[in-house]
Amino acid sequence: MKRLRRLPRSNARRALHALGILALLGAADASGASSSASQAGAETSRHKVDRAVLEASARGEADFLVVLRDQADLSAARHIRVKQDRGRWVYETLRALAMRTQGDLVGALHALGVEHRAFWVVNMVQVRGDRAVVERLAGAPEVARIVADATLQRNPPRIDSAPPGAAPDLAAPTRNAAPDPPRVATVEWNVQNVNAPAVWAQGITGRGAVVGGMDTGYEWDHPALRPQYRGAQRGVVQHDYNWHDAIHSGGPLHCPSDSPEPCDGDLSGHGTHTMGTAVGDDGRGNQIGVAPDALWIGCRCWEQRFRTRLSYVTECLEWFIAPTTVQGMNADPAMAPHAITNSWVCDPAEGCTDPNVLLQVVENVRAAGIVVVAGAGNDGPECTTVVYPPAIYGASFSVGATTSTDAIAVFSSRGPVLVDGSARMKPDISAPGQNVRSSIPGGGFQGGWNGTSMATPHVSGAVALLVSAVPALAGQVEEIEDILRTSAVPLTTAEGCGGDSEFAVPNNTFGHGRLDVWAAYQEALARQTAVDDPETQPTPDANPLPSVSRLLPNRPNPFNPGTRIAFEVAAPAFVTLDVHDVAGRRVRRLLARAHAPGRHEFVWDGRNAAGNHVASGIYVIRFEADRISQSRRIVLLR
């Protein structure tokens, strides 16, 4: 297991000459002129360094990350159809670049006795050093930037219960709260809400899929998690390739640093709770997970109640691309998961002043064929509150939180993303995140948990069900995400974030809507022929224009309360879209305007022209584009 290393000083001058940064030594024999030149060089290269690093290193030694200029181009990975092949190609490409380009830098640090740790998930080295080390490293031409190894914050769930005599703490989990009393065997409401049981009824329960989690750790032998832990199959307990601890100092007594087996360092059990929602089932009626026969593996990256560091997070994400033994040896990308659940944020107040600090890491994990699922954040209800990595990235599949009535949870962060200047619509999708019951340490279960941390594992579980149903989807991140978006229950809002209209889907409140695992399963089966035959599947970036204008099937159908109506236009055309009843009377005109060539969508919310809800029944969608007229029947079930 690699850690920061401090090594004896030797051959320092030779190593630094290789880097072209001899001034790093601050050599005593340097002339005044060369000293002045060194200072001038430090000033001109200081733009590479985060302000937080400059401030911290001025007070003494600081922890920071040195990002090299050369970074791998992994764009070809999306064309590799087999997940194991895709993951191995990404792993070998990243490793080869790091080995080829980090040698001089690592050699110089080694010679100086400067503590460091090399990464390959991005071409980067973690360093502990003072201001002189920072400034001279910044002067190296191969160094692109130096960022703080910042302390990050977990998205704390809100728990409605509290110990006797204490007021509920709505900002943080309740510690040592009693588990819920035994209850009648049932599928939890949130699991039913996303229609997972309908998929189970088809014999699809997640078998063959693997969910990864990085959090506070996990109580691996919890009755609802042990059967699904990949390290405890067939009666043999083996933590190699199934568990990694990125915490190398400190840690509570029950979960010490460098733990050789999974443990949850958070007494309230944030990690244990989230993994339960993804895959948990104790076989005794506590059906808390979306994919109860999927396997799970885990990495701990939280050292305190709500804190981690960029280097801990990076270490976990690197491990997921190519899991290792508990000792950090013999990396094997074939053991990588299909999805990773992330419930943490990178807060500028804690030193994450660059919103793109983790962008390359997340993009490289995604390139390896792993779906990166991230909580949107708990900073709602205002707009533009999706503000923290990794949820802000296009490479992350970001999740908002809904209630049992499919309303948006008040705390769920809204888009668009402005902190990076992208105006990117977020979240991508929403899932139940209020009053969620799941597993907690000690073998018990507890409800009343609220947060996008609780919503996120529903989506990771959904990925597992899709891969279990259609194994050819494994590693096809772009296709999986598109299926989840297309099949979501469309939900509209009048909040207007980012200029959204009240009928817009997707929107910056719900994304593409609430997760519907049954609809996603049906969509995956419908696409199976194309997925199994690469020759018939266009590349993700081809985006061909349609050859004819046509009305596509609405989804879902039957529906309640709304349905997504899609159509394609082959050439610029004036399009009308109307809803009629079976008697031919127009109920509502949905749109009438010019459209450019391509695919378009509109959501009908089940209301007539007067804004009133219409009754259950059969309706007809009529599509007209120039001389083309098509109709489809749809069914509304109240």
Side-chain angles (χ1 to χ4, degrees):
M1 181 177 302
K2 295 181 179 179
R3 309 182 198 174
L4 285 176
R5 297 178 294 174
R6 183 181 294 278
L7 300 168
R9 297 175 182 260
S10 63
N11 300 322
R13 195 175 293 269
R14 176 178 57 81
L16 290 169
H17 270 301
L19 260 178
I21 51 172
L22 178 62
L24 177 60
L25 284 174
D29 60 351
S31 67
S34 62
S35 178
S36 298
S38 175
Q39 292 174 4
E43 291 297 328
T44 57
S45 60
R46 197 170 287 181
H47 69 279
K48 296 181 180 180
V49 186
D50 277 2
R51 184 184 70 251
V53 177
L54 293 173
E55 293 174 351
S57 61
R59 298 189 295 268
E61 287 194 334
D63 293 318
F64 52 91
L65 304 171
V66 181
V67 183
L68 301 191
R69 194 170 302 280
D70 288 339
Q71 296 293 331
D73 179 5
L74 302 177
S75 57
R78 70 177 66 184
H79 303 302
I80 302 176
R81 302 296 305 181
V82 179
K83 181 179 184 296
Q84 288 192 12
D85 294 344
R86 180 172 177 169
R88 183 165 296 281
W89 182 84
V90 167
Y91 166 69
E92 291 177 348
T93 301
L94 293 172
R95 284 272 296 172
L97 177 66
M99 293 178 68
R100 186 172 69 250
T101 60
Q102 291 181 6
D104 287 343
L105 174 61
V106 170
L109 295 172
H110 178 102
L112 287 171
V114 175
E115 295 184 63
H116 65 282
R117 180 197 190 277
F119 287 97
W120 51 259
V121 64
V122 289
N123 199 6
M124 178 178 79
V125 180
Q126 179 192 10
V127 178
R128 178 173 297 155
D130 58 19
R131 172 64 70 84
V133 173
V134 171
E135 291 183 344
R136 301 316 193 269
L137 285 173
E142 58 265 57
V143 172
R145 57 196 177 112
I146 298 177
V147 300
D149 187 11
T151 302
L152 313 183
Q153 298 287 331
R154 190 174 82 235
N155 269 324
R158 305 185 181 197
I159 300 181
D160 296 334
S161 60
D169 179 358
L170 297 182
T174 301
R175 303 274 169 167
N176 301 319
D180 293 343
R183 57 194 294 178
V184 176
T186 185
V187 179
E188 291 299 325
W189 77 265
N190 46 296
V191 177
Q192 296 185 53
N193 180 257
V194 299
N195 290 326
V199 181
W200 304 344
Q202 306 304 308
I204 305 300
T205 53
R207 194 174 304 276
V210 180
V211 173
M214 47 187 292
D215 211 291
T216 60
Y218 306 92
E219 185 175 82
W220 72 272
D221 55 355
H222 189 288
L225 294 182
R226 178 169 182 145
Q228 297 83 4
Y229 176 47
R230 195 173 69 182
Q233 300 302 301
R234 301 181 183 88
V236 177
V237 176
Q238 174 59 266
H239 302 303
D240 290 340
Y241 301 100
N242 303 309
W243 165 252
H244 182 73
D245 194 352
I247 306 304
H248 305 307
S249 62
L253 291 177
H254 74 282
C255 191
S257 61
D258 291 325
S259 176
E261 64 178 19
C263 54
D264 197 331
D266 182 36
L267 293 179
S268 65
H270 186 272
T272 300
H273 195 280
T274 57
M275 190 58 75
T277 301
V279 303
D281 189 338
D282 66 354
R284 300 179 179 179
N286 287 290
Q287 295 175 278
I288 57 175
V290 172
D293 282 330
L295 301 180
W296 68 270
I297 61 176
C299 183
R300 178 169 64 143
C301 59
W302 303 98
E303 66 175 357
Q304 298 178 33
R305 190 180 184 192
F306 299 128
R307 293 176 183 267
T308 186
R309 300 178 75 89
L310 276 176
S311 56
Y312 302 163
V313 168
T314 303
E315 184 174 334
C316 280
L317 290 171
E318 183 173 280
W319 181 82
F320 279 121
I321 291 179
T324 66
T325 65
V326 172
Q327 291 75 29
M329 306 295 290
N330 303 322
D332 187 355
M335 302 299 285
H338 296 95
I340 305 172
T341 291
N342 300 272
S343 296
W344 47 271
V345 298
C346 183
D347 187 348
E350 299 291 334
C352 254
T353 54
D354 178 4
N356 291 320
V357 66
L358 282 167
L359 177 59
Q360 189 77 56
V361 180
V362 174
E363 288 180 342
N364 290 354
V365 173
R366 188 176 192 267
I370 303 170
V371 182
V372 181
V373 187
N378 300 333
D379 296 302
E382 290 78 15
C383 300
T384 68
T385 48
V386 180
V387 293
Y388 305 127
I392 63 172
Y393 300 145
S396 297
F397 200 68
S398 308
V399 187
T402 54
T403 70
S404 59
T405 61
D406 279 348
I408 194 67
V410 64
F411 53 79
S412 187
S413 292
R414 276 74 156 171
V417 176
L418 299 184
V419 294
D420 62 356
S422 68
R424 184 178 297 113
M425 182 174 285
K426 286 288 180 175
D428 294 282
I429 202 168
S430 295
Q434 182 167 300
N435 192 24
V436 174
R437 180 178 181 268
S438 190
S439 44
I440 59 172
F445 302 85
Q446 190 179 68
W449 287 56
N450 305 321
T452 56
S453 289
M454 283 62 256
T456 301
H458 291 83
V459 178
S460 299
V463 173
L465 290 180
L466 292 180
V467 170
S468 180
V470 183
L473 282 172
Q476 303 308 307
V477 179
E478 300 83 359
E479 185 76 9
I480 290 171
E481 291 178 346
D482 187 61
I483 288 171
L484 293 173
R485 293 189 187 101
T486 301
S487 60
V489 176
L491 297 174
T492 58
T493 176
E495 289 185 342
C497 292
D500 292 338
S501 73
E502 60 178 316
F503 303 116
V505 175
N507 54 64
N508 284 290
T509 299
F510 295 99
H512 286 76
R514 192 256 299 144
L515 174 68
D516 187 335
V517 183
W518 170 246
Y521 166 74
Q522 292 179 306
E523 180 73 15
L525 292 183
R527 300 186 187 191
Q528 183 172 7
T529 301
V531 170
D532 287 341
D533 183 4
E535 297 301 319
T536 67
Q537 185 72 8
T539 57
D541 54 355
N543 194 27
L545 292 175
S547 57
V548 296
S549 298
R550 59 175 179 159
L551 178 64
L552 301 173
N554 66 299
R555 292 188 176 89
N557 191 35
F559 67 95
N560 180 30
T563 187
R564 180 183 287 110
I565 302 165
F567 59 89
E568 293 180 340
V569 179
F574 187 88
V575 176
T576 60
L577 200 63
D578 297 313
V579 181
H580 295 258
D581 61 20
V582 290
R585 294 169 297 199
R586 190 166 74 185
V587 175
R588 180 176 169 185
R589 169 152 286 184
L590 299 179
L591 62 85
R593 61 183 176 86
H595 282 72
R599 188 177 190 274
H600 305 274
E601 292 184 350
F602 194 93
V603 171
W604 182 39
D605 61 352
R607 298 175 187 264
N608 59 21
N612 299 319
H613 289 287
V614 300
S616 297
I618 298 174
Y619 294 86
V620 178
I621 297 294
R622 182 168 297 166
F623 164 80
E624 293 185 358
D626 287 343
R627 299 181 181 180
I628 297 174
S629 179
Q630 294 181 348
S631 298
R632 285 186 181 273
R633 289 194 173 194
I634 62 176
V635 180
L636 171 61
L637 296 178
R638 296 289 187 189

